[in-house]
Amino acid sequence: MKYFKLAKVALVSLAVFSQSSQGALYQISEVNTQAVSKNAFPADMNESGDVVVAVTFDSIFPLPEYNIPIDLSLIDFENEDLQDALTDIEAAQNGNFNLEDYATILNLIRSGQGSLTTQRLVPWLSYVVENGVVEYIPAFDEIDADYSGYTKSLETRVSAINDNGVVVGISQARPTKLDYINESGDEFTFLVREFGARGFVDLNGINVGLVSDSELAGGYTEAHDVNNSLQVVGIEVFEPNDTISDAAENCEDDELRGDQPLEVCLQILHSSLYGSHNRRAVIWELDTDGNVVEKKTFGLPFEREEDDERLFVSEALAINENGLAVGLATNFYEDNTDFESTYAAIFSGEEVVSFTDRNEYFSSIATDINDNNLVTGYALKDVNGIRRTKFFVYDVNSTEITFPDDFFPGSSSVSRGINNLGQVVGEGEVETTLSSDRRREAFIYDSNDDTFQNLNDLTSCDTPYTLVQAHSINDSGQIVALARVRRANTDIQGNISLNDDGTESESDQFVSVVLNPIAGGEIDDCSDTDSQTDTQERQGGSSGWGLLMLLLLPLTRRFRR
């Protein structure tokens, strides 16, 4: 892939703990994004071992990575309060910030995120790690002289990478400046986006935007997966409800719009598009030049009543090399049309088929499918009076579904990926407490011999990493996973943070790792360290879990204006 080489960082194994082939079944190599940001969450891995990740320094601040570029033209350096707050005004005016002044400027920008006249900050950016190089995925971003490079001001969440290095995901339009004089003669410079969320395909340096049927306020699409035939799956919005349609019409009316630009009025509607439209699964087929040569849309697994004005959804999340897609679609619990939910679905030909038991499960989702038409996902049910998710494997050919045993009967488990060997990876709860925020760890399940294992039990005893999610497994058995590790804290410029006594400040951080199978390896005997490790896990188990919980909601949309 021909990305702009904004950051070239060698992909190295920062820590390899399986020195002996008899010490573990997997060797852990960290995907080295430490030069980019504090936390890196994996999305997918292809057969070559190339990885795509989303990074965030602080998703609440929000701040995606170190040293976010500042548009100096939007900063009022004549403001007396700002002048008093800065330690080196001249250097700051030239963009040469020391740490204190950089923090001051960022806090100023953050305080103005409710206004469209302030530089936009976003929580997530995405990178691809290919052939040992970490490269920025720009999506709809562009090089801008005011930012001295890419703006880094549009949220980009990568979803998948195919074996040819083609990447898909979801992003936003780059904010553009719009000068406006209001009726009182006041001058403003607004930063507006043409659209709030759009699926993209990065095809060998060509960025392709996937446009929805409804173009109201820029429309809304998502791209979730791509196969080697350049079939891309996701969703689009269509048939908006009356409320959002009326609001868009009001924006077009000079009198009803009020004293604001049309572009600002429409942007305010961006966050409402997802919840104000019907949504349907889509398969876009592209040629090698990035042209959409075919678009197939899917409806629902039932016949909709003509007078039913509720908003329904179907969504494709994964596709195999046979062109068979899976995901979810609206259906009804116990066939009660007053109790609508979403259930795992297969999109084949013109059909949408639900396959989990709607009498037992309140909802379900299919997250992946392999080329043998084995589907994996998870379903929600009552377990001892508490709702838990349980992962499954479904054989499309035989229509047989299996819910394997996981960590324990009351554990919630989630599967995220399956390879062509029938190996499934995901995560599940490992604590038996009644807490709603129970610690999770990664697992691997082999559907051939019905074996379920905690991936942490298959790595070296002295590893500093705790594997909390497993996202993808290729046919070589490599697994890309999310790990928690305690290490030195870093500030917003990437420097090591120190305590008042001069010692390094530490925190739990989330990083992407690749698990490489060790030929002839054996499970390490950790009996001597189990007690100490368990104590450490329970002491540090809650640190950083708020950030992780954002990733446990696979269909959450958190795109900001």
Side-chain angles (χ1 to χ4, degrees):
M1 302 173 75
K2 299 178 181 176
Y3 295 112
F4 180 79
K5 303 283 197 299
L6 183 69
K8 286 192 174 182
V9 185
L11 172 62
V12 296
S13 302
L14 294 185
V16 177
F17 299 93
S18 302
Q19 301 297 332
S20 167
S21 62
Q22 302 301 312
L25 295 185
Y26 291 96
Q27 183 183 74
I28 297 179
S29 299
E30 182 173 338
V31 179
N32 190 356
T33 53
Q34 287 192 63
V36 176
S37 190
K38 180 184 293 187
N39 302 287
F41 290 75
D44 195 20
M45 177 176 59
N46 64 16
E47 289 301 317
S48 299
D50 304 324
V51 176
V52 283
V53 301
V55 301
T56 184
F57 175 83
D58 185 338
S59 63
I60 306 300
F61 186 89
L63 199 65
E65 63 183 39
Y66 306 129
N67 296 303
I68 283 295
I70 304 297
D71 183 349
L72 300 176
S73 70
L74 297 173
I75 305 297
D76 181 11
F77 286 103
E78 301 301 317
N79 182 283
E80 292 185 3
D81 291 335
L82 179 58
Q83 290 180 354
D84 292 340
L86 294 173
T87 65
D88 191 337
I89 298 175
E90 183 175 349
Q93 287 176 321
N94 291 316
N96 300 318
F97 301 105
N98 59 42
L99 177 60
E100 184 176 348
D101 287 349
Y102 187 56
T104 297
I105 294 295
L106 277 182
N107 283 322
L108 175 67
I109 295 173
R110 182 195 185 195
S111 67
Q113 289 303 289
S115 166
L116 294 182
T117 59
T118 304
Q119 177 177 336
R120 313 316 297 157
L121 295 177
V122 297
W124 300 94
L125 294 173
S126 291
Y127 284 80
V128 59
V129 182
E130 192 174 52
N131 298 323
V133 177
V134 180
E135 298 180 6
Y136 176 54
I137 300 174
F140 304 106
D141 202 358
E142 296 178 10
I143 295 175
D144 189 319
D146 288 336
Y147 295 83
S148 301
Y150 284 112
T151 71
K152 303 292 186 75
S153 59
L154 55 159
E155 182 174 351
T156 300
R157 293 293 298 272
V158 65
S159 301
I161 181 170
N162 75 4
D163 295 337
N164 300 312
V166 177
V167 170
V168 299
I170 314 160
S171 190
Q172 302 169 299
R174 179 178 66 92
T176 57
K177 293 176 182 176
L178 176 65
D179 294 327
Y180 182 75
I181 301 176
N182 68 9
E183 295 172 355
S184 301
D186 300 319
E187 297 182 1
F188 297 90
T189 297
F190 290 102
L191 283 86
V192 294
R193 302 186 193 275
E194 180 184 354
F195 52 85
R198 180 170 293 176
F200 71 88
V201 183
D202 193 313
L203 176 62
N204 298 319
I206 302 171
N207 187 68
V208 181
L210 303 171
V211 182
S212 61
D213 177 78
S214 170
E215 297 183 7
L216 187 150
Y220 187 107
T221 61
E222 298 181 2
H224 291 300
D225 196 15
V226 56
N227 64 16
N228 295 329
S229 299
L230 296 181
Q231 292 178 300
V232 179
V233 295
I235 64 165
E236 70 169 0
V237 295
F238 72 108
E239 294 180 357
N241 64 19
D242 291 341
T243 301
I244 195 73
S245 296
D246 293 343
E249 288 181 6
N250 291 343
C251 285
E252 299 285 348
D253 189 304
D254 291 343
E255 294 184 3
L256 296 177
R257 183 172 66 244
D259 192 4
Q260 62 179 335
L262 168 63
E263 294 85 351
V264 170
C265 185
L266 290 174
Q267 176 163 328
I268 294 171
L269 302 181
H270 286 172
S271 61
S272 302
L273 294 178
Y274 180 80
S276 60
H277 282 73
N278 288 280
R279 306 184 298 277
R280 63 188 175 196
V282 184
I283 299 178
W284 294 273
E285 187 170 342
L286 280 63
D287 63 21
T288 54
D289 294 322
N291 301 304
V292 177
V293 296
E294 184 180 356
K295 176 183 175 182
K296 179 182 292 187
T297 60
F298 295 86
L300 299 165
F302 58 89
E303 192 70 29
R304 182 174 186 159
E305 299 292 337
E306 290 186 6
D307 59 348
D308 194 338
E309 297 182 353
R310 289 177 293 181
L311 298 177
F312 293 144
V313 59
S314 62
E315 180 165 0
L317 298 175
I319 187 169
N320 66 11
E321 295 304 319
N322 305 319
L324 195 62
V326 298
L328 58 86
T330 299
N331 216 320
F332 303 104
Y333 177 67
E334 294 184 335
D335 289 328
N336 182 348
T337 55
D338 293 328
F339 195 162
E340 64 185 91
S341 186
T342 54
Y343 287 88
I346 297 170
F347 305 96
S348 175
E350 304 298 324
E351 289 188 312
V352 180
V353 180
S354 293
F355 57 86
T356 52
D357 187 342
R358 290 182 284 111
N359 291 313
E360 181 176 3
Y361 298 97
F362 298 107
S363 65
S364 59
I365 180 173
T367 55
D368 200 10
I369 180 171
N370 70 11
D371 296 339
N372 300 313
N373 294 340
L374 284 182
V375 179
T376 193
Y378 52 97
L380 181 69
K381 65 178 295 186
D382 271 341
V383 178
N384 297 324
I386 300 176
R387 293 189 178 182
R388 308 288 188 192
T389 59
K390 291 293 184 179
F391 86 97
F392 63 76
V393 176
Y394 175 72
D395 189 330
V396 176
N397 302 324
S398 68
T399 69
E400 180 181 354
I401 190 168
T402 303
F403 284 85
D405 292 337
D406 49 21
F407 287 110
F408 55 91
S411 168
S412 281
S413 56
V414 169
S415 60
R416 297 182 180 271
I418 184 170
N419 66 9
N420 287 325
L421 303 180
Q423 296 172 304
V424 177
V425 293
E427 76 270 359
E429 294 172 334
V430 295
E431 289 182 316
T432 57
T433 66
L434 296 179
S435 169
S436 60
D437 185 15
R438 301 196 293 185
R439 186 161 48 88
R440 294 170 177 255
E441 294 187 2
F443 71 75
I444 181 170
Y445 169 76
D446 192 327
S447 64
N448 298 289
D449 58 11
D450 194 33
T451 55
F452 177 93
Q453 294 172 293
N454 187 328
L455 279 170
N456 290 284
D457 295 338
L458 311 182
T459 61
S460 176
C461 297
D462 59 356
T463 176
Y465 302 101
T466 300
L467 305 172
V468 295
Q469 293 178 347
H471 282 254
S472 180
I473 180 169
N474 63 21
D475 292 345
S476 299
Q478 291 179 298
I479 300 169
V480 63
L482 179 70
R484 189 179 73 249
V485 61
R486 190 162 188 83
R487 59 167 49 135
N489 233 332
T490 48
D491 60 35
I492 52 180
Q493 291 184 324
N495 307 304
I496 298 296
S497 297
L498 301 179
N499 296 312
D500 292 339
D501 61 2
T503 58
E504 291 184 353
S505 169
E506 291 188 343
S507 67
D508 283 349
Q509 296 169 30
F510 292 103
V511 298
S512 297
V513 298
V514 174
L515 279 63
N516 296 294
I518 300 172
E522 296 180 357
I523 296 178
D524 209 353
D525 182 3
C526 302
S527 56
D528 293 337
T529 59
D530 276 347
S531 177
Q532 179 182 358
T533 300
D534 186 64
T535 300
Q536 292 172 342
E537 283 289 341
R538 295 183 185 278
Q539 288 175 343
S542 62
S543 301
W545 281 92
L547 178 62
L548 176 60
M549 289 306 292
L550 296 179
L551 272 294
L552 297 178
L553 304 175
L555 303 180
T556 297
R557 278 81 184 176
R558 296 181 178 269
F559 280 79
R560 302 172 183 263
R561 293 190 298 170

